[in-house]
Amino acid sequence: MTSAKIVLTGGPERLFACGRAQQPVNPQEKVKILLGAGYEHFVHNGEFLVIEGENLPVFQWSERTKIAE
């Protein structure tokens, strides 16, 4: 598996209290981030953004799921 930096957009503001995250992930997969009692899901729709000379995939928020009890 190859990892890459990504850009996250959308989703709840409290997820990004420390700024919009860039984290290593496989750009071919959905990103799932734990927040409170659920997960925020992000998907790559083919958009890219150049930041500091790097062409990074943009992952858009798609849904929230609750943790099963």
Side-chain angles (χ1 to χ4, degrees), residues 6-43:
I6 65 168
V7 176
L8 300 177
T9 62
E13 285 301 315
R14 66 186 178 131
L15 179 62
F16 303 107
C18 298
R20 293 284 166 173
Q22 294 181 18
Q23 60 184 19
V25 298
N26 181 338
Q28 305 303 317
E29 297 176 4
K30 183 183 276 189
V31 174
K32 184 168 93 171
I33 299 174
L34 178 63
L35 180 65
Y39 290 97
E40 304 300 331
H41 298 265
F42 295 81
V43 294

Side-chain angles (χ1 to χ4, degrees), residues 34-56:
L34 178 63
L35 180 65
Y39 290 97
E40 304 300 331
H41 298 265
F42 295 81
V43 294
H44 182 239
N45 294 325
E47 181 183 354
F48 288 84
L49 184 63
V50 177
I51 298 178
E52 296 179 1
E54 287 187 83
N55 195 31
L56 305 177

